[in-house]
């Protein structure tokens, strides 16, 4: 599985064993929703396999692990991201709200509210964030090393608490937005250098064209 998919899965599912980062306050403004319907659809990474006919190494879409983004069923704004792992027969959903920091697009992700009878009913519903770009049916998502975030945040007096698993920023929304805009290039220098996710529908179209 490509690195970007592993990182995103780790951020969303808190299963990577690496320290994650999030905010206590939402960064997306609920009163001024941002729409980006380019997000809609199914996104998957690429995996390397050997062609049984030729023995050559080829890249094929990973159809066992993918994300599906749909319009939010229960709200007028926002999207629902479903993280699907067919191998383990699991699907985990997240509320997704795009927002902007200067000229940069970001995603805000949060687990939906749990029912009172669910195992995680009392869990703190924090907000994960990451800048993204979409170009030519490719979704680029950037991540920042936690140590870099911590160092720059301390220099800007950004309030935070830290556990073994999560670096949680507790500053107010506008202070966090100002911080991200000021240090965008330092926090997320890779941009499109990261390995993208691919729109699955583009593979389906290519298959139809080839046939």
């Amino acid at each position: 599985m490509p690195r970007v998919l592993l990182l995103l899965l780790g951020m969303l599912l808190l299963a990577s064993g690496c320290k994650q980062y999030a905010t206590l306050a939402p960064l997306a403004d609920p009163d001024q929703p941002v729409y980006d319907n380019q997000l809609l659809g199914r996104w998957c990474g690429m995996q390397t396999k050997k062609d049984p006919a030729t023995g050559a190494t080829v890249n094929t879409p990973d159809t066992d692990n993918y994300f599906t983004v749909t319009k939010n069923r229960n709200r007028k704004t926002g999207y629902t991201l479903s993280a699907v792992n067919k191998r383990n027969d699991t699907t985990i959903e997240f509320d997704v709200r795009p927002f902007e920091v200067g000229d940069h697009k970001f995603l805000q992700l949060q687990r939906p509210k749990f029912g009172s009878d669910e195992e995680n009913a009392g869990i703190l519903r924090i907000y994960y964030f990451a800048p993204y770009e979409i170009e030519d049916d490719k979704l680029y998502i950037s991540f920042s090393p936690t140590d870099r975030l911590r160092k720059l945040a301390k220099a800007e007096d950004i309030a935070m608490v830290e556990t073994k698993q999560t670096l949680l920023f507790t500053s107010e929304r506008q202070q966090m937005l100002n911080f991200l805009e000021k240090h965008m290039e330092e926090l997320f220098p890779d941009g499109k250098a990261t390995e993208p996710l691919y729109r699955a529908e583009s593979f389906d179209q290519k298959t139809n064209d080839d046939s």
Side-chain angles (χ1 to χ4, degrees), residues 34-81:
V34 174
Y35 300 94
D36 189 354
N37 287 338
Q38 289 188 92
L39 290 164
L40 294 173
R42 182 158 52 98
W43 300 91
C44 61
M46 299 292 286
Q47 58 185 350
T48 301
K49 288 186 175 181
K50 281 192 174 182
D51 187 323
T54 65
T57 300
V58 295
N59 290 325
T60 60
D62 184 357
T63 56
D64 289 328
N65 296 279
Y66 59 87
F67 299 100
T68 299
V69 180
T70 57
K71 291 184 178 180
N72 198 307
R73 297 185 296 271
N74 302 316
R75 300 178 184 176
K76 293 181 179 180
T77 61
Y79 302 89
T80 297
L81 184 150

Side-chain angles (χ1 to χ4, degrees), residues 3-174:
R3 179 175 178 271
V4 65
L5 193 53
L6 284 172
L7 284 169
L8 186 54
L9 278 170
M11 180 182 71
L12 297 179
L13 310 184
L14 297 178
S16 69
C18 299
K19 189 180 292 293
Q20 314 302 323
Y21 54 85
T23 62
L24 187 60
L27 299 182
D29 187 347
D31 297 324
Q32 295 183 343
V34 174
Y35 300 94
D36 189 354
N37 287 338
Q38 289 188 92
L39 290 164
L40 294 173
R42 182 158 52 98
W43 300 91
C44 61
M46 299 292 286
Q47 58 185 350
T48 301
K49 288 186 175 181
K50 281 192 174 182
D51 187 323
T54 65
T57 300
V58 295
N59 290 325
T60 60
D62 184 357
T63 56
D64 289 328
N65 296 279
Y66 59 87
F67 299 100
T68 299
V69 180
T70 57
K71 291 184 178 180
N72 198 307
R73 297 185 296 271
N74 302 316
R75 300 178 184 176
K76 293 181 179 180
T77 61
Y79 302 89
T80 297
L81 184 150
S82 302
V84 178
N85 185 321
K86 283 189 174 181
R87 295 188 186 98
N88 296 331
D89 193 25
T90 58
T91 299
I92 300 180
E93 290 191 344
F94 298 85
D95 291 330
V96 177
R97 291 183 180 272
F99 65 99
E100 295 176 353
V101 177
D103 296 329
H104 303 279
K105 293 182 177 181
F106 273 74
L107 294 177
Q108 171 185 284
L109 303 108
Q110 184 190 38
R111 287 298 308 273
K113 290 183 178 180
F114 296 97
S116 59
D117 58 340
E118 291 188 68
E119 180 180 352
N120 295 325
I123 196 170
L124 182 64
R125 297 173 60 242
I126 55 182
Y127 300 88
Y128 303 96
F129 60 93
Y132 76 98
E133 293 181 64
I134 298 176
E135 184 177 292
D136 297 330
D137 288 322
K138 299 182 183 70
L139 172 60
Y140 299 86
I141 301 176
S142 300
F143 300 88
S144 180
T146 308
D147 55 351
R148 186 183 303 164
L149 263 171
R150 184 192 303 109
K151 179 180 179 180
L152 291 171
K154 283 183 177 180
E156 297 288 342
D157 293 324
I158 301 293
M160 68 188 96
V161 294
E162 192 166 358
T163 67
K164 289 183 179 180
Q165 206 169 40
T166 305
L167 178 63
L168 180 63
F169 297 103
T170 57
S171 288
E172 295 180 352
R173 172 179 176 271
Q174 192 57 53

